[in-house]
């Protein structure tokens, strides 16, 4: 398990109006809001779209050192809204981390190694979970969960409960399948088919909740 990199960005206070937001976007700046358990009043600001892309470019969890009017905040990007036509970011939420308050977030999985079942027997790798929901103190936020599949044979799976999560509270069921190795096409077992169906349903429920 690796820990997030800290990306430094600067924000500029903004006006709260549709016209002001439209002008910001025309100038390649993204309206944003800052909030958290120890923030008395939400701060409204904007950031450069290119700077935001540095955060969004990779799926790993990243923390930000955000500076607004000379004050520095350690934050986590919590939400990004996109234009449905251009797919450009149009608004972002930043959560100010507090040492004493746990935060809820989704952390991606990183698959490492090559499965024995795939190499030796022509198996197919199936990964129903791309992210896992967790609750954790800021000092223990992982950037990703690395899952080594080297020893997986056909018919074997790794589940949420197999991960080492010291100090981390998983919000997904421990029985959820992260990755499994299925037989070559035409040799799939009904048991694995049922597992795939259950895992897919779980991912759909998670997408609905996100």
């Amino acid at each position: 398990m690796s820990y997030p990199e800290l990306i430094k960005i600067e924000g500029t206070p903004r006006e709260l109006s549709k016209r002001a937001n439209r002008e910001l976007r025309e100038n390649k700046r993204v309206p944003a809001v800052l909030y958290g358990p120890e923030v008395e009043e939400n701060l409204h600001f904007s950031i450069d779209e290119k700077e935001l892309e540095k955060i969004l470019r990779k799926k790993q969890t990243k923390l930000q050192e955000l500076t607004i009017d000379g004050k520095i905040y350690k934050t986590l990007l919590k939400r990004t809204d996109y234009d449905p036509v251009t797919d450009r970011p149009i608004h972002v939420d930043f959560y100010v981390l507090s040492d004493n308050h746990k935060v809820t977030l989704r952390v991606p999985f990183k698959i490492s190694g090559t499965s024995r079942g795939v190499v030796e027997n022509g198996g197919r790798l199936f990964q129903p979970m791309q992210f896992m929901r967790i609750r954790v103190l800021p000092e223990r936020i992982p950037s990703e969960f690395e899952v080594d599949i080297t020893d997986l044979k056909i018919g074997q799976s790794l589940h949420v409960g197999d991960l080492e999560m010291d100090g981390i509270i998983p919000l997904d069921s421990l029985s959820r399948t992260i990755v499994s190795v299925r037989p070559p096409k035409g040799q799939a077992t009904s048991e694995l088919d049922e597992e795939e169906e259950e895992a897919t349903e779980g991912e759909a429920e998670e997408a609905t909740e996100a």
Side-chain angles (χ1 to χ4, degrees):
M1 184 170 63
S2 57
Y3 292 93
E5 61 178 303
L6 188 66
I7 298 179
K8 296 183 178 182
I9 56 176
E10 291 193 9
T12 302
R14 65 181 173 91
E15 296 179 13
L16 290 178
S17 70
K18 291 184 178 179
R19 178 180 178 182
N21 287 342
R22 185 168 58 253
E23 291 177 352
L24 285 171
R25 295 180 184 117
E26 289 174 353
N27 289 297
K28 301 298 179 67
R29 295 193 65 83
V30 183
V33 63
L34 182 77
Y35 60 91
E38 297 182 0
V39 176
E40 294 182 1
E41 186 176 350
N42 291 357
L43 296 178
H44 300 273
F45 62 101
S46 69
I47 60 173
D48 186 271
E49 188 172 329
K50 290 183 178 179
E51 293 298 308
L52 178 60
E53 287 297 332
K54 293 180 182 179
I55 305 173
L56 301 175
R57 190 173 298 130
K58 297 181 180 180
K59 68 177 183 178
Q60 290 98 332
T61 302
K62 291 175 285 293
L63 304 181
Q64 302 83 42
E65 185 179 276
L66 176 61
T67 302
I68 304 174
D69 274 348
K71 189 171 182 179
I72 298 175
Y73 304 88
K74 187 176 181 179
T75 70
L76 173 71
L77 179 61
K78 287 286 284 184
R79 175 173 175 172
T80 306
D81 294 327
Y82 295 90
D83 185 287
V85 177
T86 65
D87 203 35
R88 287 176 54 191
I90 57 175
H91 190 275
V92 285
D93 292 5
F94 287 91
Y95 178 89
V96 181
L97 297 170
S98 170
D99 292 340
N100 301 316
H101 290 79
K102 292 180 179 179
V103 61
T104 299
L105 70 155
R106 295 199 313 163
V107 177
F109 291 109
K110 177 184 178 182
I111 304 300
S112 64
T114 303
S115 162
R116 289 179 59 187
V118 172
V119 175
E120 298 174 4
N121 304 105
R124 296 174 295 146
L125 195 67
F126 174 65
Q127 186 185 350
M129 287 187 74
Q130 302 296 325
F131 296 85
M132 184 171 72
R133 297 170 298 169
I134 65 170
R135 187 163 177 77
V136 64
L137 286 172
E139 64 181 12
R140 291 185 177 272
I141 292 176
S143 62
E144 59 191 5
F145 288 108
E146 185 168 349
V147 180
D148 186 354
I149 63 171
T150 303
D151 294 329
L152 280 188
K153 300 177 182 179
I154 288 179
Q156 294 184 328
S157 303
L158 288 174
H159 304 87
V160 170
D162 296 322
L163 299 176
E164 292 185 9
M165 293 181 283
D166 185 27
I168 297 174
I169 301 173
L171 300 181
D172 288 300
S173 171
L174 297 181
S175 63
R176 287 282 302 279
T177 299
I178 301 169
V179 63
S180 63
V181 179
R182 297 173 55 81
K185 288 185 178 181
Q187 300 180 26
T189 65
S190 60
E191 181 179 347
L192 284 174
D193 286 338
E194 291 175 1
E195 182 179 82
E196 176 177 340
E197 182 178 350
E198 291 174 0
T200 303
E201 289 176 355
E203 284 294 296
E205 291 175 2
E206 180 176 315
T208 301
E209 294 173 0

